[in-house]
Amino acid sequence: MTSRGKAIEVEGVTKDFGTFRALDGVSFDIYDNEFFTLLGPSGCGKTTLLRMLAGFDAPTSGAIRLHGKPILDLPPHKRRVNTVFQSYALFPHMTVEQNIAFGLENLGWPKDRRSARTAQMLEMVHMAQFARRRPDQLSGGQRQRVALARALAPEPEVLLLDEPLSALDLKLRQAMRDELRTLQRQTGITFVFVTHDQEEALDMSDRICVLGQGRIQHLGTPNEIYEDPANRFVADFIGETNFLPVQVISVDGDMASVKTPMGQVVTTLQKAATAGQAATLSLRPEKIGMEDQAVGEIMQGRVTNKNYMGGYTHYTVDVGGTELRVSKRNAISHSQSFEIGREVRLGFRHDSARVLGA
């Protein structure tokens, strides 16, 4: 990743709105041809950051560079950066074809070049047969494709996407994730995607920047962020997890031995743990096996709740007064189900858990 050139450099960016600090000294780099996601809950600063990259807002302090050149003094139309908004912002009185060509005309592209590029973009987003339709004659997914084509047509250095999938239904959102990723690979353009949806981020991103309370909580690949979260905020926001209060017995580098409330001593990777102090153990529900899938640290418990979700069944299991959430994949039709009240054996490997500090 670091062998690529830097498309965007964000250095010490702070943004204040009166007495409210939306961003607090944020610094990171985004590389060429990267699908980079800003992920976090509402109010964490991700859209504010995207607006600063686009030129719609200015930071209170800090620097932003595009391919090594400062851009804070450049107005939006002078930056080789385009934005796809949640509302798509298509011109309702124009056809699909005219919407895509509009920006190229404003940039002074000659008619022949403009027509060729518009046709190319229509083919790329599978909208050639709808070229003469207006936006009100299209579905939500088709309007999104037009918005993407219009933004990509001028060949920007960076494409910014502000929660573009949030208005679509579940099936269409899932299909559009694949289309977005394919478009990014085909064009080679750096995508900066803003979302609060963890599944979208994990599915599409090369790297994810998790924002919380105006600061970077964790920056890494989807695998790193899910499997080895930097802190409790990240572990809680990305996916589901069991948080268990533990007592730290010893720390050796990046490993810690802790005693769980169920009585086991677990040695696993740690983040900011100190010997003799209280900490939190994070254990994902799908990392816990039941009955014949129970391995490693074995426990006995009783099923207190059950939720069938198609691909998975989610259980709540009481283990000596501690409730654990357990996810069991339904890999076989009508696979074994554990009813409420049943005594079950649970197990997890030490390296499946993470000690996160207090």
Side-chain angles (χ1 to χ4, degrees):
M1 183 67 68
T2 52
S3 62
R4 299 180 187 176
K6 295 177 182 179
I8 292 174
E9 297 166 79
V10 175
E11 186 178 308
V13 165
T14 294
K15 179 64 176 178
D16 295 327
F17 293 98
T19 58
F20 173 67
R21 177 152 289 183
L23 291 167
D24 189 7
V26 171
S27 298
F28 59 86
D29 298 328
I30 303 174
Y31 299 103
D32 289 327
N33 194 22
E34 183 174 26
F35 199 119
F36 186 92
T37 296
L38 296 168
L39 174 69
S42 297
C44 71
K46 57 188 184 295
T47 296
T48 297
L49 192 47
L50 197 79
R51 289 179 59 83
M52 287 192 286
L53 297 178
F56 302 133
D57 280 335
T60 303
S61 62
I64 299 176
R65 291 181 287 274
L66 179 64
H67 285 120
K69 298 178 181 178
I71 59 172
L72 289 181
D73 292 335
L74 294 178
H77 69 278
K78 294 281 189 178
R79 304 182 185 196
R80 290 201 61 195
V81 173
N82 277 353
T83 306
V84 176
F85 299 99
Q86 184 177 338
S87 64
Y88 311 141
L90 299 175
F91 299 115
H93 61 288
M94 293 184 181
T95 65
V96 167
E97 193 173 45
Q98 290 167 339
N99 263 281
I100 296 171
F102 180 80
L104 304 179
E105 187 175 0
N106 281 350
L107 290 171
W109 286 35
K111 186 176 181 180
D112 288 352
R113 186 185 175 201
R114 194 165 69 232
S115 297
R117 181 61 173 170
T118 299
Q120 181 188 14
M121 295 312 302
L122 284 167
E123 288 292 337
M124 184 176 289
V125 298
H126 313 295
M127 289 294 291
Q129 66 270 42
F130 302 104
R132 302 302 172 87
R133 292 192 185 182
R134 294 191 310 275
D136 63 359
Q137 298 172 308
L138 303 174
S139 69
Q142 290 168 339
R143 287 195 294 272
Q144 191 204 53
R145 289 190 183 97
V146 177
L148 284 165
R150 185 179 63 179
L152 289 167
E155 299 173 338
E157 294 180 16
V158 175
L159 183 68
L160 309 176
L161 301 110
D162 188 9
E163 305 218 34
L165 307 183
S166 60
L168 305 178
D169 63 46
L170 177 61
K171 287 277 190 183
L172 190 52
R173 279 205 311 273
Q174 291 171 336
M176 289 307 299
R177 287 182 207 160
D178 293 338
E179 293 201 21
L180 275 175
R181 199 68 176 98
T182 299
L183 275 173
Q184 192 270 328
R185 289 179 181 134
Q186 285 178 344
T187 60
I189 292 171
T190 301
F191 278 26
V192 182
F193 186 85
V194 161
T195 185
H196 64 274
D197 188 313
Q198 52 181 285
E199 193 174 291
E200 284 180 4
L202 292 171
D203 187 22
M204 294 190 293
S205 312
D206 292 316
R207 287 189 304 151
I208 301 169
C209 178
V210 182
L211 290 169
Q213 301 174 327
R215 297 180 180 177
I216 295 175
Q217 301 292 331
H218 196 165
L219 198 162
T221 66
N223 182 274
E224 289 167 347
I225 284 173
Y226 185 84
E227 298 290 349
D228 198 18
N231 53 41
R232 180 169 178 147
F233 177 92
V234 178
D236 194 26
F237 191 76
I238 306 290
E240 286 191 66
T241 195
N242 294 287
F243 288 120
L244 304 175
V246 294
Q247 192 70 25
V248 181
I249 299 170
S250 63
V251 175
D252 183 8
D254 61 355
M255 303 295 289
S257 294
V258 301
K259 186 173 183 179
T260 75
M262 295 89 74
Q264 304 97 336
V265 174
V266 176
T267 301
T268 189
L269 289 170
Q270 64 90 13
K271 299 280 186 181
T274 303
Q277 294 188 347
T280 299
L281 188 74
S282 172
L283 180 60
R284 301 283 189 189
E286 74 277 8
K287 308 291 189 186
I288 305 173
M290 298 180 72
E291 292 296 330
D292 60 333
Q293 296 176 356
V295 296
E297 203 62 55
I298 303 298
M299 305 165 284
Q300 291 294 133
R302 183 175 60 85
V303 176
T304 59
N305 199 17
K306 169 186 171 183
N307 300 98
Y308 175 77
M309 303 298 291
Y312 284 86
T313 300
H314 303 299
Y315 296 93
T316 303
V317 181
D318 183 285
V319 181
T322 298
E323 286 198 333
L324 292 177
R325 286 172 292 165
V326 182
S327 293
K328 180 178 179 295
R329 183 169 180 81
N330 300 322
I332 303 171
S333 294
H334 308 295
S335 59
Q336 183 183 17
S337 178
F338 305 104
E339 301 305 320
I340 293 173
R342 173 169 170 169
E343 296 290 328
V344 293
R345 189 172 69 133
L346 304 180
F348 67 93
R349 292 166 52 99
H350 285 211
D351 56 5
S352 294
R354 294 292 182 271
V355 182
L356 299 175

